[in-house]
Amino acid sequence: MKNDNKISLNEIKELVTNIFLKQGCNQENASALANTITKAEEDGSSSHGLFRLPGYVASLKSGKVNGHASPKVINKTPVILKCDADNGFASTSHEVALPLLAESAKKNGISVLSITGCYHFAALWPETEFLAKNNLVGFACTAFKPSVAPAGAKEPFFGTNPISMAWPKKNDHPVVFDMATATMAKGEVMIAARDGHMLPDGVGLGENGQPSNDPKDILKGVLLPFGGYKGSAISMMVELFAAGLTGDAFSYEAQENDNNDGGPPKGGEFIMAMNPEIIAGSNWEEHCDGFFQKLSAIKGVRLPGSRRHKNRNSDQYRFINEELLIKVKSYL
Ligand code: NDP
């Protein structure tokens, strides 16, 4: 952390809000983005916090994204919600639509939300964790632009296509996993390139199409899906849920429509909420707690999400790369 600067979470939130107000957002959109970025820094998800701010600003500056977006939610049926993001960042749609999704799933047992016309540049756990905190099981996925080679190929076709699921837990943080279906999120590869770290085997192919451990080389080449053909199939399903089922863009279509300003492409997000109280019955919490206790008791096992939750419980200061912080402050 030699070149990192100490800053409090409150300062991050205020700084980010002021930057977005200056760069073309109204209060609602600025504060939704500030919440997303601050939550990422709070949990140590550095690849989706302040690191993404230059991309968000670039998309506002290029006029691609509407900083005054006013998302509208309609009920297509009592359990199918559709949110038109009004060409805004996904964070604003989440603040408007997730409480409605939770309400519908609590009442009906299951409910799905398709968000269309949004720009998603963040981690997915805030969506699923919100649902789990409402005692619902959450699922979310979104596509991106081609950067991952399907199994057997050397050229990009899938996005890094993240998927997140969250499980509510009695008197505790929910169990949440959130992962790119690429072996590693592109943001993590970019940070490794910035910080001069080599990567483990299997993350990607270099410019010459051969396996590489050099993040700079991989960024010129292609990322690989996690787990070979199995991860490739899951990435394909993310495309189908986030684009086929929402009616929005597949990653290759998002690429065709994008102005490559450095920010996220326009696309859809699919989110599902399920109510275990209705589906499993009233003893679901005790039953699942027993499962988690047995799992956690195995030597070497930790539950997904526990690293982030531990970070969240630490003090209110975070260390941010000095060059990044200087760049971020230059947008004020
Ligand atoms: P990681 O590989 O770091 O982590 C994936 C998941 O595995 C996390 O839930 C993590 O929990 C869990 N995990 C990690 N190590 C262990 C372990 N030893 N035992 C149990 N669980 C473990 O994430 P990725 O690099 O794949 O993705 C990073 C982020 O990038 C995600 O938040 C994703 O949403 C985001 N992303 C966003 C995109 C977009 O288009 N918006 C595109 C692609 C990625 P924990 O957090 O506690 O470590």
Side-chain angles (χ1 to χ4, degrees), residues 48 120-124 144 160 162 176-180 185 188 302 304-308:
H48 291 82
H120 204 308
F121 214 27
L124 263 66
F144 197 67
T160 42
V176 188
F177 87 80
D178 177 22
M179 55 167 232
E188 299 287 349
R302 75 151 169 98
S306 58
R307 175 197 58 88
R308 280 192 306 98

Side-chain angles (χ1 to χ4, degrees), residues 65-83:
V65 180
N66 178 9
H68 289 243
S70 179
K72 300 273 178 306
V73 184
I74 56 160
N75 273 77
K76 294 188 89 174
T77 76
V79 296
I80 315 268
L81 279 65
K82 187 170 169 58
C83 174

